[in-house]
Amino acid sequence: MFRTPGTALTLRRAAADRIFVAIRITDEPELRDGEQVLVRPIRLADGDQLTGLHARLSPDSIYWRYFGFKSTLSPAEVRRFTDITEEWRFALIAVRSTGQLAGVARYEGQADRTDAEIALIVDDALQHRGLGTLLLQRLVDVAMMSGMTSLTAVVLASNRPMLHLLQALHLPSTSARDSGSVEVRLQLAGLELPADRSRVAAAHMAEAAAIRAGLAS
């Protein structure tokens, strides 16, 4: 569900060489069981919630996300994950009505490139309820509007849920196996978004730009 209070924002993304004029909206989709979550760009102030999310993850979820055991996130990692100052990095989070962080989808690119690597983590308590697909789809939409032409996910071969999520996006893709992992490359070039998804993605991009400029907290 999208609520539109009616405040306009203008966002210029040099990498995409386009101007987006977006209505400030609140992105509040429902999960399969009817629970509503708030989806928005991550902020530096989300550090404590991100640390809490990591503490709730099962060993398998941590292993699949980081390819090894990680008992905690270091302060430097928390800051890097929450302080997104570059236009070629992006992270969307889902927040429950309690304020608890439910999941994070992000891409990490490089300056002057149009490809990036994606990653996803979802609270174990909310897995298999559609949240992962929801976050990934919105992240892909943002990437497309930002001018990205491909997104790559390096996934452990044992991480079947993530591989299924990537397939569920129904995007042109290629995959290659190497030493127990699968590299899935999603091809975005030439694809177009429906108007409603474009509007939501543009609003997320506008909010992220405001966060970078210090206009939002």
Side-chain angles (χ1 to χ4, degrees):
M1 177 171 64
F2 309 121
R3 294 190 285 107
T4 58
T7 301
L9 287 176
T10 301
L11 172 66
R12 183 184 298 272
R13 289 296 298 268
D17 194 29
R18 298 162 73 178
I19 297 175
F20 301 100
V21 179
I23 297 173
R24 185 190 293 274
I25 66 172
T26 301
D27 185 6
E28 295 180 319
E30 289 187 354
L31 305 183
R32 290 179 188 143
D33 62 354
E35 179 177 352
Q36 196 172 59
V37 295
L38 170 66
V39 177
R40 61 168 173 81
I42 203 166
R43 304 168 184 157
L44 185 60
D46 295 316
D48 288 346
Q49 282 294 332
L50 182 63
T51 300
L53 171 61
H54 186 87
R56 295 191 301 274
L57 295 175
S58 67
D60 279 349
S61 291
I62 292 173
Y63 183 75
W64 283 342
R65 169 61 178 88
Y66 296 102
F67 287 38
F69 181 70
K70 181 184 286 290
S71 59
T72 60
L73 296 176
S74 70
E77 288 173 321
V78 171
R79 185 171 187 91
R80 172 167 175 77
F81 289 155
T82 57
D83 192 15
I84 309 293
T85 59
E86 304 89 353
E87 291 189 352
W88 34 268
R89 301 175 62 219
F90 205 95
L92 285 173
I93 63 173
V95 183
R96 307 183 79 174
S97 60
T98 59
Q100 191 176 70
L101 187 58
V104 185
R106 68 176 63 246
Y107 66 72
E108 298 273 347
Q110 298 181 47
D112 301 320
R113 292 180 62 100
T114 61
D115 59 318
E117 186 169 336
I118 59 175
L120 171 72
I121 195 68
V122 172
D123 193 327
D124 285 67
L126 279 86
Q127 291 181 11
H128 310 296
R129 293 165 62 179
L131 180 57
T133 301
L134 184 155
L135 283 173
L136 274 182
Q137 184 65 75
R138 279 161 167 75
L139 185 72
V140 168
D141 291 353
V142 167
M144 289 175 62
M145 292 195 69
S146 298
M148 292 291 178
T149 57
S150 68
L151 295 173
T152 299
V154 181
V155 184
L156 287 172
S158 61
N159 190 355
R160 294 182 181 274
M162 182 63 175
L163 293 172
H164 290 159
L165 283 180
L166 293 168
Q167 291 176 350
L169 295 174
H170 301 296
L171 293 170
S173 64
T174 59
S175 62
R177 285 180 173 265
D178 180 37
S179 300
S181 65
V182 181
E183 181 179 289
V184 180
R185 184 177 297 272
L186 305 175
Q187 305 293 344
L188 310 182
L191 301 181
E192 294 186 5
L193 290 178
D196 58 338
R197 284 168 51 186
S198 296
R199 183 167 62 94
V200 173
H204 285 313
M205 293 166 64
E207 183 175 356
I211 292 170
R212 290 195 303 271
L215 302 178
S217 58

